[in-house]
Amino acid sequence: MSCLKDKTDEQLLQEMQEKLQNILPPFEIKYKAELVSKIRQIKKKKNALILGHNYMEPALFHFVPDFQGDSLQLCRQAAQTQAPILVFCGVKFMAETAKILNPNKKVLIPSLEAGCSLAASITAEDVRRLKKRFPGVPVVTYINTYADVKAESDICCTSSNAKAVIEHLNSDTVIFIPDEYLSKNVARETGKHIIVPTKDLSKLNDNDVDYQIIGWPGRCEVHEKFSVQDIENVRKQFHNDVTVLAHPECSPEVVAASDFSGSTSAMIQFVKNTSAKRYLLLTECSMGDNIAAEAPEKEMVRLCSVRCPHMNQITLEQTLASLQNEIHEIKLEENIRKRAEQAVRKMLEIH
Ligand code: 13P
Ligand code: SF4
């Protein structure tokens, strides 16, 4: 039985058709509109808040969340909410961050399997080893990590404030974990010298004292796939009439060959504020669809074999099931949560 029965549902379907007509076939829009309608009804009944990362698929991204954004924007929203139930349409480390900030609220994620290769690249024990090897050096931890790693850290950062966080610390040396490429891009931006040890720390040379950032060899399995050759191929294909944007989780070489680099929201903003007609987005493909839905006059060239398998686990069906049955709840040990909260809140204090 269809749940698209009242006027509001008809309006919703029409709105979805208008926005998504160039992205999805009509039957899919109709199917998704029914799911969106159900999610909205239950959300209202339960007084829940839904946050959606910029990588969510277009129907979910444009029609379900109360707030959309990059990691930092969603973290700030999570820190402000009064809602008793929060559904995080993003990956697990993001939902964990929301729980870190809201210990007394129910934080749900549509799929507990939605991981992240960066978060999986480092353990709390790894951080303890780094701290032992570099005593007294502050630990700056990318938000793409789990709560126990954040708990070992001095301060968190995201791709949009990494440089500001490092400059704020004003320390001769910092440990910056776990994204090798992000740390190298930040090192380049701040003019600091970086070393990236192996995971067992065995290849560290004690004579090498001329470094200001100590990195970690973690990589994003999506962004590490982009190459300078990809950029050159696309520039050639469009006779240089293409503006190239790269997320800072891409390699420094890819970032250097691009026209702009920034967080997911910074990339969206850049496209909105620029008059160029064609863009290559070196990031998760859904984001290109989301921008194309909003600005059909701008052509998004994407390398769509590159998807984040974790973000892609978050579907409308799973979001509905999680909210309806209050399943896939994030739980954290209080001692870990409390220590992680200090690192997250320290980041939030920086503007
Ligand atoms: P942003 O903070 O830029 O949204 O990045 C999150 C992420 O996981 C990118 O892969
Ligand atoms: Fe993690 Fe990369 Fe997926 Fe972002 S795109 S969630 S960094 S695996």
Side-chain angles (χ1 to χ4, degrees):
M1 198 182 75
S2 168
C3 89
L4 290 175
K5 47 190 178 319
D6 58 30
K7 182 115 190 297
T8 321
D9 286 348
E10 271 162 34
Q11 281 170 347
L12 171 66
L13 179 59
Q14 202 179 337
E15 271 178 49
M16 287 181 70
Q17 275 163 344
E18 272 167 30
K19 188 154 255 170
L20 305 173
Q21 59 186 329
N22 297 323
I23 316 279
L24 301 173
F27 72 89
E28 198 175 326
I29 299 177
K30 189 157 187 296
Y31 169 75
K32 290 193 168 183
E34 292 186 10
L35 289 166
V36 170
S37 169
K38 281 187 194 163
I39 293 169
R40 286 182 173 191
Q41 284 169 31
I42 300 171
K43 183 172 81 88
K44 200 168 162 198
K45 209 163 109 194
K46 297 194 177 205
N47 188 22
L49 180 91
I50 304 187
L51 299 176
H53 186 260
N54 290 327
Y55 286 163
M56 293 298 101
E57 59 97 350
L60 196 165
F61 177 78
H62 283 294
F63 293 95
V64 170
D66 296 285
F67 296 100
Q68 306 133 319
D70 64 15
S71 309
L72 183 60
Q73 290 167 325
L74 296 179
C75 184
R76 287 199 191 282
Q77 287 299 340
Q80 284 168 20
T81 184
Q82 299 302 322
I85 299 179
L86 214 151
V87 182
F88 210 117
C89 292
V91 289
K92 197 170 157 202
F93 74 79
M94 296 177 175
E96 269 197 5
T97 308
K99 182 69 183 177
I100 287 168
L101 295 164
N102 293 285
N104 300 322
K105 296 189 178 127
K106 193 174 257 188
V107 177
L108 306 171
I109 180 165
S111 166
L112 280 165
E113 304 300 308
C116 168
S117 66
L118 280 171
S121 74
I122 191 159
T123 64
E125 179 52 28
D126 291 330
V127 191
R128 287 191 285 270
R129 280 191 302 115
L130 275 165
K131 289 198 291 189
K132 207 168 159 196
R133 178 70 178 75
F134 300 99
V137 177
V139 180
V140 180
T141 295
Y142 194 28
I143 201 141
N144 293 39
T145 46
Y146 293 120
D148 56 345
V149 167
K150 290 186 174 83
E152 295 294 336
S153 314
D154 293 281
I155 187 166
C156 286
C157 75
T158 75
S159 64
S160 65
N161 64 10
K163 181 171 176 261
V165 167
I166 287 186
E167 286 176 348
H168 171 85
L169 285 178
N170 202 17
S171 170
D172 289 345
T173 316
V174 297
I175 296 170
F176 187 109
I177 52 171
D179 188 349
E180 174 182 348
Y181 287 160
L182 179 64
S183 63
K184 284 181 170 167
N185 286 320
V186 173
R188 204 177 70 144
E189 251 187 288
T190 53
K192 293 186 189 296
H193 179 54
I194 180 169
I195 50 157
V196 179
T198 50
K199 283 192 179 180
D200 62 3
L201 306 184
S202 65
K203 293 217 178 93
L204 277 173
N205 178 353
D206 280 325
N207 298 325
D208 186 358
V209 286
D210 179 29
Y211 51 77
Q212 293 123 338
I213 297 181
I214 300 142
W216 184 256
R219 301 255 182 101
C220 162
E221 68 190 272
V222 174
H223 293 94
E224 74 170 346
K225 291 202 181 99
F226 297 114
S227 66
V228 173
Q229 190 62 57
D230 291 330
I231 298 176
E232 282 169 5
N233 291 347
V234 173
R235 288 205 197 275
K236 200 167 158 203
Q237 183 187 350
F238 293 104
H239 309 288
N240 280 329
D241 189 10
V242 57
T243 302
V244 181
L245 287 75
H247 193 274
E249 289 169 8
C250 293
S251 74
E253 295 77 20
V254 164
V255 167
S258 304
D259 301 302
F260 176 79
S261 178
S263 78
T264 53
S265 286
M267 291 166 102
I268 294 172
Q269 226 28 61
F270 183 92
V271 176
K272 274 190 188 158
N273 298 339
T274 322
S275 57
K277 69 174 194 300
R278 188 179 293 117
Y279 300 83
L280 170 66
L281 297 188
L282 298 173
T283 194
E284 219 290 327
C285 287
S286 296
M287 222 176 78
D289 288 338
N290 294 337
I291 299 176
E294 200 95 68
E297 72 287 358
K298 297 196 170 172
E299 186 188 337
M300 296 294 137
V301 184
R302 277 155 284 139
L303 302 173
C304 273
S305 56
V306 186
R307 312 296 310 244
C308 173
H310 313 290
M311 289 285 184
N312 275 288
Q313 299 226 13
I314 310 300
T315 61
L316 285 170
E317 289 87 343
Q318 298 259 59
T319 304
L320 175 61
S322 166
L323 178 61
Q324 194 161 35
N325 307 315
E326 298 183 22
I327 51 170
H328 308 317
E329 185 177 352
I330 301 286
K331 305 250 187 203
L332 296 173
E333 244 179 65
E334 183 55 11
N335 149 51
I336 287 180
R337 188 206 65 77
K338 258 192 180 155
R339 289 191 294 134
E341 184 178 12
Q342 288 186 9
V344 176
R345 292 216 181 266
K346 239 191 220 166
M347 168 187 81
L348 293 178
E349 282 162 18
I350 299 174
H351 292 287

